Amino acid sequence: MAPAEGEVRLWAVPRDRVWLHCPRCDGPAFFARGRLSCRRCPYVHDGTPGAWCSCCHRWEGDVPVLGERVVRATLRCGVCGRRREAEQRVTGATGLAPVRCECGAAMTVVSSWAERAAGFDDGVDPIFGLRYYLARPCAGHLLWVANREHLDYLARFVAAGVRPGPQNEMGNRLPRWMLTAKHRAAVLAGLGRLRQRCDELESA
């Protein structure tokens, strides 16, 4: 699907300028430029955006304390060569806490990867661990978008009959249920309702 002039091709879900559920009142909270602020209550949280990169398995920037990950790593001792697997729950950009080998030497990380903390589902922002505000049930699943840019992209991609393009483009990694012909009308209708909600949020 070649983008028309002015259209944006996405490779990942946007991480900035996104609508989330406020952790205090569950209302609409907007995250932009490192600040999460609720539009319903006085809640504000400052922090630099960041998350675990699924490609290179490392932190990108700092992660506010609201986010949480389960980190699994393969460790190796530089003195005796022993290897071991480790698993820790982390909430910041520091990664695994230091691990010592049986011989007493500090172990180094050979490889690591991270998962969302237990209970996190699709439709949860990877930075704060908060649910996206623009979400609704659709065809037995949860249809969600991070912001208007994400919404517009999904609407174009789902509506397109032929979808060629780079394999790593975000649209080619969407769940199968979103792209099947039998769900196309329901998905587009759901995106239309999310667009109305987005319009209301942006005009408030």
Side-chain angles (χ1 to χ4, degrees):
M1 181 183 69
E5 186 175 346
E7 292 183 349
V8 177
R9 175 175 271 163
L10 292 183
W11 308 99
V13 176
R15 292 180 177 176
D16 194 37
R17 303 188 60 78
V18 300
W19 289 99
L20 306 170
H21 279 271
C22 172
R24 178 178 294 171
C25 73
D26 208 38
F30 192 62
F31 176 68
R33 298 179 196 156
R35 169 170 281 206
L36 179 70
S37 55
C38 183
R39 298 297 172 88
R40 182 183 294 170
C41 76
Y43 181 85
V44 173
H45 179 81
D46 288 309
T48 306
W52 277 98
C53 176
S54 59
C55 301
C56 57
H57 308 297
R58 64 181 182 180
W59 286 106
E60 293 180 344
D62 190 17
V63 178
V65 294
L66 290 176
E68 188 177 62
R69 294 290 181 277
V70 175
V71 180
R72 293 182 175 86
T74 301
L75 306 171
R76 181 180 181 278
C77 177
V79 175
C80 68
R82 284 191 182 97
R83 286 179 177 252
R84 64 181 283 195
E85 302 297 316
E87 178 179 310
Q88 292 180 15
R89 205 173 274 252
V90 299
T91 57
T94 55
L96 289 171
V99 177
R100 295 223 165 251
C101 179
E102 287 82 352
C103 73
M107 302 191 82
T108 57
V109 176
V110 176
S111 64
S112 66
W113 61 100
E115 297 179 355
R116 289 176 177 148
F120 283 13
D121 295 313
D122 206 10
V124 175
D125 166 68
I127 298 173
F128 287 98
L130 298 173
R131 291 173 296 123
Y132 288 108
Y133 194 79
L134 298 171
R136 59 175 291 110
C138 178
H141 300 271
L142 181 68
L143 178 64
W144 57 271
V145 296
N147 57 18
R148 182 177 295 278
E149 178 188 41
H150 187 203
L151 192 156
D152 290 342
Y153 173 84
L154 290 182
R156 286 195 309 271
F157 199 91
V158 172
V162 179
R163 306 183 186 101
Q167 192 63 33
N168 59 343
E169 184 177 345
M170 189 182 69
N172 290 317
R173 293 180 277 113
L174 290 173
R176 185 174 179 80
W177 70 268
M178 289 184 66
L179 301 177
T180 59
K182 70 176 182 177
H183 291 156
R184 184 179 299 161
V187 171
L188 291 175
L191 290 172
R193 293 187 181 94
L194 292 179
R195 188 183 304 281
Q196 292 174 356
R197 190 182 301 178
C198 187
D199 290 340
E200 293 168 2
L201 290 172
E202 291 179 351
S203 64

